[in-house]
Amino acid sequence: MARFDIAGDTSGVITVQGPAIAGTNTLTWPAETGTAILSTSTTALPGQIAWNTTVQTTGFTAVAYGGYFCNTTSAAFTVTLPATPTRGQFVVIVDYAGTAATNNITVSGNGSKINGFGASAILATNRQGITFTYIDATQGWLASSNVYGANPPFTQTYTASYLVVAGGGSGGGQGGYVGGGGGAGGYLTGTATLTGGTVYTATVGAGGAGSTSNLGASGSNSVLSGGTISTVTSIGGGGGGATSGTSGANGGSGGGCGYSGGTFGSGTPGQGNNGGTGSGAYFGGGGGGGGASAVGGDGSAYAAGNGGAGSASSITGSSVTYAGGGGGAAGAGATMGSGGSGVGGNGAYTVAATAGQTNKGGGGGGANTTSTTSGSGGSGVVILSVPTASYSGTTTGSPTITTSGSNTIITFTTAGSGTYTA
């Protein structure tokens, strides 16, 4: 059998020596696609790990095929993966000192996904070593090996904004004369850190049902919970009071007081405000229900109290007002109270009381002897806004999905529960 020998010397010259036999000899290279590489470098070729022998103690940008020992003894830091990777390239990261559980190693995709998510990977297991291999734009960098790691080998977190509004209370029934407006549902907004793969549950509170006598019905709580989120609970709005000493109920925002006796309902600090007081005048008006940003108006001999103003949120990409209180009902000598910010229901006069707006948490309007059924409270809403690059697309409960700029908006509107898996 013929044989070819390849040999080099200290001059850097490589000689291909054919067999010492007569005839024509053919040297055929394998039919492989790719790049032929001729190099005198001692660094690794593609497919081999080029270990960086300097222990890394601060953040840095990795290069393809590089292996890095990361020492977070002094502080956590971020490893940024290559910006324009190609399929098959990889980076190896090892916890050098066994301190990743205390000071995490954050791995940034640098514009590419990691395990199919847009969020960074958090290495938080001591002595962990992971190889990240780039596959494509859909999945990005995938963990292709895991030494001394957890299952899954790392966590991925991202920041989301939320709005949780409870169901509003219904207005007070006439109970002999005029009722107060229902309090708005509690209003809470903020940010939370979501962890990839964790299920978050949204519970949307219903509004209180309209009443024909005495105290209105309070709304139900709305809740967002799961994972690292401390449970966010918005309190249902308090029902409006009526006559004969029936006070407005406490709630996210308190219900307004009805005619002649009783007190206003108290709101929950940080979620809403108190309801208004009722008039002692026989032909006067009831107090308005409290709103997210203002107390309910007081009733007088000439006018019922307006519902307290709600609060505006732009979490969906446009400004929308939620959680206005219901207006108090009017007697023969007064004018009816208007719902707060147009979200709460109007109180009764010669026309029927109206309900608080659905999925806005508005309080219902109070009733009187002409219109004996009070307005029901509006149902609440739970909204999550997450970076579109990190949005998983996994939900239950049929929320409405929209986008605004770089965010995806998940809006739960149906009374009951739904979930989002981060």
Side-chain angles (χ1 to χ4, degrees):
M1 176 182 292
R3 185 184 71 187
F4 285 89
D5 295 323
I6 301 178
D9 58 29
T10 56
S11 68
V13 176
I14 296 175
T15 302
V16 179
Q17 180 67 50
I21 60 175
T24 300
N25 298 283
T26 302
L27 179 63
T28 302
W29 298 107
E32 295 285 344
T33 59
T35 302
I37 297 176
L38 301 177
S39 174
T40 60
S41 172
T42 58
T43 60
L45 298 178
Q48 297 177 302
I49 302 174
W51 288 104
N52 188 316
T53 56
T54 301
V55 176
Q56 309 297 312
T57 57
T58 59
F60 64 94
T61 298
V63 298
Y65 308 110
Y68 300 91
F69 297 98
C70 298
N71 184 357
T72 61
T73 300
S74 299
F77 60 82
T78 297
V79 179
T80 303
L81 295 175
T84 56
T86 58
R87 178 174 295 186
Q89 290 182 339
F90 60 80
V91 171
V92 182
I93 298 171
V94 179
D95 175 23
Y96 167 83
T99 54
T102 302
N103 294 323
N104 301 158
I105 303 170
T106 299
V107 181
S108 167
N110 200 6
S112 298
K113 295 180 179 180
I114 299 178
N115 271 19
F117 292 95
S120 296
I122 309 298
L123 277 59
T125 301
N126 289 342
R127 298 297 184 187
Q128 187 170 14
I130 293 185
T131 300
F132 292 91
T133 302
Y134 185 81
I135 180 64
D136 57 30
T138 301
Q139 296 297 321
W141 297 89
L142 300 180
S144 57
S145 69
N146 175 29
V147 180
Y148 297 125
N151 184 20
F154 49 78
T155 59
Q156 290 178 270
T157 62
Y158 53 91
T159 301
S161 300
Y162 65 79
L163 173 66
V164 182
V165 180
S170 68
Q174 57 89 15
Y177 212 62
V178 297
Y187 176 99
L188 288 172
T189 187
T191 60
T193 299
L194 306 188
T195 302
T198 300
V199 177
Y200 297 88
T201 300
T203 303
V204 178
S211 173
T212 57
S213 63
N214 295 320
L215 183 65
S218 293
S220 298
N221 298 346
S222 289
V223 181
L224 176 63
S225 63
T228 56
I229 291 182
S230 297
T231 300
V232 178
T233 303
S234 290
I235 307 300
T243 56
S244 305
T246 305
S247 301
N250 300 332
S253 283
C257 181
Y259 160 78
S260 186
T263 60
F264 57 80
S266 297
T268 301
Q271 298 194 23
N273 290 278
N274 299 337
T277 59
S279 169
Y282 185 73
F283 293 109
S293 64
V295 298
D298 294 335
S300 70
Y302 305 103
N306 294 327
S311 291
S313 170
S314 297
I315 191 170
T316 60
S318 59
S319 181
V320 178
T321 300
Y322 302 85
T335 57
M336 67 181 186
S338 299
S341 302
V343 177
N346 297 328
Y349 178 44
T350 56
V351 294
T354 59
Q357 286 193 18
T358 301
N359 298 131
K360 302 291 179 59
N368 62 12
T369 54
T370 301
S371 175
T372 58
T373 302
S374 67
S376 59
S379 56
V381 68
V382 176
I383 302 175
L384 275 171
S385 174
V386 304
T388 297
S390 302
Y391 174 59
S392 71
T394 304
T395 63
T396 66
S398 301
T400 300
I401 309 298
T402 57
T403 58
S404 175
S406 61
N407 288 342
T408 294
I409 318 301
I410 311 159
T411 303
F412 296 90
T413 57
T414 304
S417 296
T419 64
Y420 167 64
T421 302

